[in-house]
Every structure is written in structure tokens, then in C-alpha cells.
Amino acid sequence: MSTIVKQQNNNEARTSDSPREAEGRGCALSDTRNIGIIAHIDAGKTTTSERILFYSGKVHKLGEVHDGTATMDWMIQEQERGITITSAATTCFWKKHQINLIDTPGHVDFTVEVERSLRVLDGAVGVFCAVGGVQPQSETVWRQAKKYNVPRLAFINKMDRMGANFDAVVDQMRSKLSAPVAPIQLPWGSAEDFKGVIDLIKMRAVTFREDSQGSTVEYVGMPAELAVKAEKSRAALIERVAELDEELLEAYMENSDVSEVALMAAIRRTTIANQLVPVLCGSSLKNKGVQPLLDAVVDFLPSPVDVPAVTGISPKTEEKISRETSDFEPLSGLVFKMATDKFVGKLAFVRIYSGQLKKGQNIFNPRTRKRERVGRLLRLHANTREDVDVLYAGEIGGMSGQKLFTTGDTICAENDLILLENIVFPEPVISMAIEPRTTADKDHLADALRDLSEEDPTFHISIHEETGQTIIQGMGELHLEIIRDRILREYNVKASAGRPMVAYRESILKTGAGSFTFDREIGGRNHFASLRLQVSPRSKGTGNSVEFDVSSTIIPQEYRKAIDEGIKDALLTGVLGNYAIIDTAVKVVGGETSPVDSSEMAFRTAAVMALREAISSASPALLEPIMMLEINSPEEHLGEVLGDINSRRGRVREIKSLEDIQIVQAEVPLAEVFGYATALRSLTKGRASYTMEPLAFDPVPSSMQDSILNR
């Protein structure tokens, strides 16, 4: 006979006696989880987030992405397109644990939202489609989580779909992501026969009553047809964890059938250490498997006290310092996102690492070296908010009233400074001109663009030197389309936009050298500086570097900062078409000073001119962004798809079969894929789909370079 358990939300406050924690906080640090939901587009992130909110009691009605009613997809653009565009933060409670949840986008154009969210999270849930498996953006978000050492769970979603294959997705995670995955569940059936999940830790089956929208969880005995497979899978799980954890290994040597408690403790330790990724499964849309996922978040992902202390540098001494997660440590926090809210104005999303942030207190920004007063403190729930008086260590919330803060800024106490590591964002790959339709809209457009660029570090604005046009830059066609739509709807500004343009780059193909002597009278005073530079190409994607290979007697320290700034300025405007120079090493090898006439201004100018000469002598090349396309096409249309890729200067890397679908991976220049969605629909009668993400910058064919530069 089965046991039926009704999962209920428990919002009881808990106060810890630990010296780490203040009396006023509602939930103990050890019972707090800061997690993000990350995945490829259409894997079911937002649907999973909606179920988490429903089963935890945060919302009382299930929202659906396809109906435009999802709580976390609150922007009108998200509801119309059925995709997540901006990260949405919320707080819910599960089994006396506070879960601060961020639902992130899956579309590559909005990867900045994933990057800045993972920077401040302690754990993440990677959602994978049981049919599509590991897809291009799955790899991107997984790399981002790995970059910030974020412990992860994996949730294989959509087990109810035709073609769902749990084992194949697990194998893909091992091969494509090099992830140390270990299933802690097995699916009970698949496609239309998907009934629930098999818990390998407790060795029982779990089903979810459809008449209660999955709220009623039923634990039943092991199905006979899965008993042998479950025993083998549990033994493999224990062996896998025992290899990584000494405590479990000792227990395993005494008795191979280790206890449930010992196994769970070992899985938690190895997950937090990023040695293991527990794998679960379910169907969020069909309300199956979400409660066990919540249990796993509580049981296996770290609390703020389980992760290493945050580190930064002292702005005064540049020494490395750290702050423990404690309410009684000096204040430190990171602003990871800015938003413009029509009700509260400029809103800063902040993660508190140590200390307490109180309403009305003064905080210090080490970047601007300015003090600002906190206006309101908010606990966030998508596009709604709740006023609070204090944000404690380990919490994520919002603050309003700050004028000078931007994404990546540190907040701290003025008498105990710390500067946390900033967030590095990718450079835009696409641009277009935008102009107001009427003179009256000119100032309003400028205000809208300023607000949007403050929100989104990958959205850039510039003025074209020759035409005076306003140029906006972003991560893709959809990114700029959303920006244009928001300008019209949110700011009520009518603007005309041109055709998207590729954001080219420049680099060099060989080594080169350059020198320049600046000797000029300005303002009645003579200025002198002489400089010699060498440049050489670096590996693709490694960026630029500046090095001084000259003694301080030849180039004194007092001028080196000006030289460095001059070189970096010159790297922003290349020699071919005023495009930024990338992947280039610059070395200062010589120069000359005058004890009377040398100045910082002279050396800065000499650095710019010497670098331009050096770049010109090193075979400068124009580079274009190359995109990785993954196209899912029916087999009968494969020939048309491949022919079209070839006509776009594309290179096919791999073709894989998944039942009657052909998966094509190809590298195609960005300039050739504008409007590709329409073309692909036409070629395949609307039956194919594709995803695209930036891959690298490659040289433009010499036959095309002149036409691009002469536009």
C-alpha cells in the first residue's frame, strides 16, 4: 500500500544562536540557498521556476510560458515571445529553508544575464531537455558556472516528450561538458508512459497526483521491472561517490550497502566541492519531479557558509583581503545588475557577502570614491517588491536611491574598504544606427538609451565621427530588436533604426615595430617624449597585453601609466577602419626622456603614434565575428540546409542524427546570417529550427576587405 504525503510550504522563521548571525534575520545562514536556473533556450527553465514557486507556496496559481502568464517572465516582450529576456529574482521557502532564486535567460543574445547572476550565486540547477540533450547554449552556461566555481545539480526535463532519453543525455553531459555527473534518480517510464521517478538514495518510487496539479506526492514500492536496474544504479552511485569522499569510502569498505544518511552527506560534500553533479529528472510542464528537485537543492547545494569567504583587494594598499559570511563582519556586497523601475526609479540588485545593509545608512563605492545614502531596501519577486529594513549577509535584494552605482560596483563601509572582483562582459558583435523621428523625441531617446545602457553592460552607444549618427551595439539581432521595442513601449519614444551592421575587429598576422618622437611646443612650454614599441600576435581569444621590457632609468615609472593609457586608447581604434584591435601583445622596448621637457601628455601621444606605426608594419587584418549555428532539420530538407550554409560562406563541422531529425553544426560569418530565421523557415516549410552563439573572430577574405572598409 502506498504512502501519500501532501508537501506543504513552511514559512516559519528561524533564528540562529551562532555568532555569525544577527538576531533579527528571519532564516539561519545554514538554511539559506542562493541558486540560479540555467539552461539552453526552451529546455524549460521558466516552467521549472514556476513550479518551484507554486509548490513552495510563493504563488497560488500555476503560470505557463506558452500562455504568457509565467510570473518570472513579466516583461511584455517575454510574454509575447515566450522566452526569458531578463533575469528575474525571487525568494521562496521550502522545508524551513529560504531559497533566493534567479531565473536566467537561455537565448545567447542575453548571456550577460547569466554571467552576472552566476557571479553572485552559491549554487545552480542546470536544466536539460530529455530530447535535445546538451545543446550549444547548455555548453555556454555550463562554462560560465564552471568559471565561477558554482556547484550544480542537473535536472533532465521533458521526460514526457516523445524521444526522451535519460541515459543519452547523461552520456552527453559526460562527453560534451566533461561533467562529473552521477544520477541519483531514474525515470519511471518515458514519453506518454512517464509515471514519476525512482529515488536511488531511498530506493523507492515517487509519483505525483494529477488531480492536485502534482502537489500531492506519493511514495510507492519499487516497480518490479526497474528493481534490478535500480540496484545496479545505486551500487554505481555509491562507488562513484566513495571514489571521491574518504568518509564514505571507509563506510563502504565496512559494508557495501552504506546508509542513506552517510550517502546523502557524502553527496553533499562532493557536490559543494564541485567534484560531483547529482542528476535528477522529471517533467515540469506535467508537474512531475519538481518537489524532489527542491529537496535536492536543500540537501546538496551549499549555503553561504559552505562556500569560501569572498576575497577582494584593499583600494589603499592593493593587498588581498577576505570577508567571512557573517552579519558581524564589515559590510561588503556586489551590485550585479541595474534596472530602471517606474515605481522606485533606479534599482540596484545587490548580493550581501558580509555585514548588514540597513535602510538609511551611508555606503561607500570604491570605484567612484563617493559616499551614498541607501534610500529603500527591497526583497524582490519578479517585477513586484517588498520593503525591508535590513539585508543580511548571504541575502540577495534590491536598493534604490543610488545615482552613481553601476553593474559590478562594490558596496562597503567607508572606514573598512574592500574592492571585490568586477564582472567581465563580452563585447558586442552587431550594431545599427538609430535616430529620433521628430526633434521633440531627441532628448527622450538619449535618456532612454542612457537608462538601457546602464541596465545592460553589453549594450553600447556611440556617435559616428563622420555622420554624427547614434550607433547602438548589442549581442545579436534579437537583442537590438528588444531594445528598440522597449524604447517604443516603455519610454514612448518613436525612433527609426537602420539595418543591423557587423561589429568588425582588427588584429595583426606577424610581429612588427614602431617608434615615434614627440617634440612640440604647446602653451609656451616644450613637450618631449620618444618611444619604441614591438607588437606580436597572441592566440585567438586571449585579448591584448601591454608589457614594459625597458629599465626605469630609460622610461621612468612616473610616465608608464600615461604610456599604458595611450597604448590602450590606440588599441580601441585600429589602423584599417577604426575597429578595435584584439589579441595583440604590445611591448615597450626603448625610448628617451628629457629631464626638462618630458611630460605625461607627450608620452601618451608618443605611445599612440608609435603603436599605430607598429601595427601598420605587422600585416594588420580585418576580423569578422563567426557564429556557431546548430540547426535541427528534418532529413528530407538536409540538402537545402547544407547548400544554404555553403552559400553563406559557412563551414559544416558535424552532422548528427537523432531519430528522423538531422542536427547540423556549422560555423558561419555573422554578416551572412542576418534574417536567417526567415530563410530557414522558407527552405524547410517551417519545420526546422536553429540556435546561434558567437564563436570567434576570423580574418575577412581579402577579396571582401576593401568593400567593407570603403562602406
Side-chain angles (χ1 to χ4, degrees):
M1 187 168 174
S2 64
T3 306
I4 298 178
V5 179
K6 176 77 171 179
Q7 298 275 19
Q8 293 181 336
N9 173 41
N10 193 326
N11 289 1
E12 295 177 17
R14 229 180 119 173
T15 304
S16 171
D17 297 327
S18 167
R20 286 176 178 267
E21 301 168 18
E23 291 184 4
R25 68 181 301 137
C27 191
L29 268 170
S30 59
D31 293 341
T32 300
R33 301 289 183 271
N34 294 311
I35 68 164
I37 308 292
I38 59 174
H40 183 90
I41 191 169
D42 286 338
K45 295 177 309 304
T46 301
T47 303
T48 303
S49 298
E50 291 297 315
R51 269 53 181 179
I52 288 173
L53 297 183
F54 179 70
Y55 296 129
S56 65
K58 184 68 179 182
V59 299
H60 302 290
K61 182 182 178 183
L62 280 175
E64 301 292 2
V65 173
H66 54 269
D67 292 335
T69 57
T71 305
M72 303 297 269
D73 282 353
W74 55 269
M75 290 175 65
I76 186 68
Q77 292 85 359
E78 294 175 317
Q79 294 167 359
E80 289 177 347
R81 290 167 173 80
I83 62 171
T84 301
I85 292 170
T86 184
S87 296
T90 191
T91 299
C92 60
F93 291 83
W94 181 256
K95 294 186 175 178
K96 298 184 181 180
H97 287 69
Q98 177 178 326
I99 299 176
N100 300 316
L101 173 72
I102 297 181
D103 177 33
T104 66
H107 198 286
V108 65
D109 283 17
F110 310 106
T111 188
V112 59
E113 296 286 343
V114 185
E115 184 84 19
R116 58 185 173 190
S117 298
L118 287 170
R119 171 68 175 82
V120 298
L121 292 170
D122 301 324
V125 176
V127 180
F128 297 85
C129 174
V131 180
V134 176
Q135 297 166 287
Q137 191 65 5
S138 309
E139 298 181 52
T140 301
V141 297
W142 201 262
R143 282 197 304 270
Q144 289 171 310
K146 199 171 181 179
K147 171 182 171 183
Y148 293 114
N149 293 316
V150 177
R152 279 144 282 167
L153 303 175
F155 181 65
I156 298 178
N157 190 27
K158 302 190 178 183
M159 285 302 306
D160 61 302
R161 280 187 55 189
M162 183 66 68
N165 191 327
F166 177 83
D167 293 332
V169 179
V170 172
D171 289 341
Q172 285 182 30
M173 292 174 68
R174 291 193 179 108
S175 60
K176 290 188 175 183
L177 305 178
S178 301
V181 292
I184 61 172
Q185 290 180 351
L186 294 177
W188 184 2
S190 65
E192 66 271 11
D193 296 325
F194 180 61
K195 299 180 180 67
V197 300
I198 305 299
D199 183 343
L200 296 177
I201 298 175
K202 294 181 168 61
M203 287 301 284
R204 62 187 181 183
V206 188
T207 61
F208 308 86
R209 288 272 290 271
E210 294 182 9
D211 56 5
S212 64
Q213 293 184 298
S215 294
T216 304
V217 180
E218 186 176 14
Y219 300 104
V220 300
M222 184 69 65
E225 70 272 17
L226 288 172
V228 174
K229 184 176 182 180
E231 287 289 349
K232 289 182 178 179
S233 298
R234 188 175 197 273
L237 171 64
I238 293 171
E239 289 179 11
R240 179 81 178 93
V241 180
E243 290 174 0
L244 303 169
D245 187 83
E246 289 187 7
E247 287 187 40
L248 189 70
L249 180 60
E250 290 178 9
Y252 178 72
M253 297 299 288
E254 294 178 7
N255 182 358
S256 60
D257 187 17
V258 298
S259 71
E260 173 191 321
V261 173
L263 180 56
M264 288 185 67
I267 292 174
R268 177 174 177 79
R269 287 191 294 270
T270 50
T271 301
I272 291 173
N274 269 311
Q275 298 174 315
L276 192 78
V277 177
V279 181
L280 302 92
C281 61
S283 169
S284 297
L285 185 64
K286 295 298 176 69
N287 309 315
K288 295 176 181 178
V290 177
Q291 292 97 323
L293 176 62
L294 274 167
D295 289 340
V297 166
V298 166
D299 292 336
F300 305 129
L301 289 182
S303 72
V305 295
D306 294 320
V307 296
V310 68
T311 58
I313 61 169
S314 166
K316 292 181 179 179
T317 64
E318 296 194 354
E319 292 179 354
K320 192 174 181 179
I321 52 179
S322 63
R323 296 275 167 84
E324 296 291 335
T325 304
S326 167
D327 294 335
F328 303 111
E329 284 272 303
L331 174 67
S332 68
L334 187 75
V335 174
F336 65 95
K337 178 175 177 175
M338 299 297 301
T340 303
D341 189 293
K342 60 183 178 182
F343 297 109
V344 299
K346 198 172 178 181
L347 180 64
F349 289 60
V350 61
R351 160 72 190 263
I352 306 300
Y353 286 102
S354 63
Q356 303 175 45
L357 179 62
K358 298 180 179 178
K359 179 180 175 182
Q361 83 176 83
N362 288 325
I363 54 175
F364 191 75
N365 185 340
R367 179 183 62 85
T368 61
R369 305 200 63 78
K370 300 280 186 182
R371 182 196 309 119
E372 289 198 57
R373 186 178 180 85
V374 177
R376 294 171 65 187
L377 288 178
L378 307 161
R379 183 161 285 132
L380 306 166
H381 177 52
N383 64 330
T384 62
R385 60 208 62 79
E386 170 195 347
D387 281 275
V388 295
D389 293 326
V390 187
L391 288 176
Y392 295 96
E395 292 194 321
I396 292 174
M399 59 179 185
S400 67
Q402 283 59 57
K403 297 178 180 177
L404 303 177
F405 277 89
T406 189
T407 302
D409 278 351
T410 300
I411 65 169
C412 61
E414 191 171 1
N415 60 353
D416 208 328
L417 300 180
I418 186 172
L419 181 62
L420 303 179
E421 182 183 356
N422 206 332
I423 309 171
V424 179
F425 298 109
E427 289 294 314
V429 297
I430 189 171
S431 64
M432 69 181 182
I434 189 167
E435 297 292 341
R437 290 186 185 172
T438 67
T439 306
D441 284 322
K442 185 176 181 180
D443 291 340
H444 297 304
L445 176 61
D447 291 341
L449 293 176
R450 186 188 63 248
D451 286 348
L452 292 169
S453 66
E454 288 176 353
E455 285 186 22
D456 185 351
T458 60
F459 173 58
H460 294 188
I461 310 161
S462 60
I463 305 297
H464 195 281
E465 291 181 5
E466 296 178 5
T467 64
Q469 283 183 305
T470 300
I471 306 296
I472 58 176
Q473 297 177 294
M475 299 303 295
E477 282 187 276
L478 180 60
H479 188 194
L480 294 186
E481 181 186 326
I482 296 296
I483 291 288
R484 189 169 54 183
D485 195 52
R486 291 185 64 189
I487 289 171
L488 175 63
R489 295 196 189 186
E490 292 179 28
Y491 295 90
N492 296 315
V493 177
K494 294 180 180 178
S496 301
R499 183 179 181 273
M501 300 174 290
V502 176
Y504 293 95
R505 297 288 186 271
E506 296 180 26
S507 192
I508 55 175
L509 303 180
K510 65 179 186 179
T511 59
S515 62
F516 189 82
T517 298
F518 185 88
D519 189 359
R520 196 172 301 168
E521 184 177 317
I522 302 174
R525 184 201 157 186
N526 200 54
H527 294 264
F528 175 85
S530 183
L531 206 60
R532 294 199 311 277
L533 305 177
Q534 289 180 354
V535 294
S536 57
R538 302 187 76 200
S539 299
K540 190 183 296 185
T542 54
N544 298 322
S545 67
V546 180
E547 179 186 350
F548 286 84
D549 187 17
V550 60
S551 73
S552 56
T553 56
I554 297 175
I555 303 292
Q557 290 290 340
E558 61 191 283
Y559 300 125
R560 296 195 176 200
K561 183 179 180 182
I563 294 170
D564 183 73
E565 290 174 349
I567 290 171
K568 288 176 178 175
D569 281 350
L571 287 169
L572 294 175
T573 54
V575 298
L576 296 175
N578 289 326
Y579 300 112
I581 297 169
I582 61 172
D583 300 334
T584 299
V586 183
K587 186 182 291 186
V588 180
V589 295
E592 189 179 343
T593 61
S594 164
V596 177
D597 296 333
S598 285
S599 65
E600 290 186 2
M601 184 273 291
F603 271 105
R604 185 181 184 119
T605 306
V608 172
M609 302 308 293
L611 181 67
R612 293 184 70 83
E613 181 180 308
I615 295 292
S616 298
S617 70
S619 297
L622 188 67
L623 308 181
E624 63 179 343
I626 305 297
M627 312 302 286
M628 171 61 74
L629 259 67
E630 182 169 290
I631 305 153
N632 292 352
S633 171
E635 191 167 359
E636 61 263 35
H637 296 294
L638 182 62
E640 294 95 326
V641 169
L642 295 178
D644 184 64
I645 289 172
N646 289 331
S647 72
R648 296 173 185 270
R649 297 192 286 127
R651 296 192 300 269
V652 175
R653 286 177 52 168
E654 187 179 7
I655 302 175
K656 296 180 294 184
S657 296
L658 183 64
E659 296 184 352
D660 59 341
I661 296 295
Q662 299 294 312
I663 302 173
V664 181
Q665 288 189 345
E667 301 174 12
V668 185
L670 175 62
E672 304 292 342
V673 291
F674 290 141
Y676 185 64
T678 303
L680 186 64
R681 279 197 297 269
S682 176
L683 284 172
T684 63
K685 300 178 182 177
R687 297 178 62 197
S689 62
Y690 79 99
T691 58
M692 178 172 66
E693 64 176 351
L695 179 66
F697 281 89
D698 279 352
V700 173
S702 55
S703 59
M704 298 178 60
Q705 184 165 303
D706 288 344
S707 64
I708 293 170
L709 293 174
N710 293 330
R711 284 177 186 170

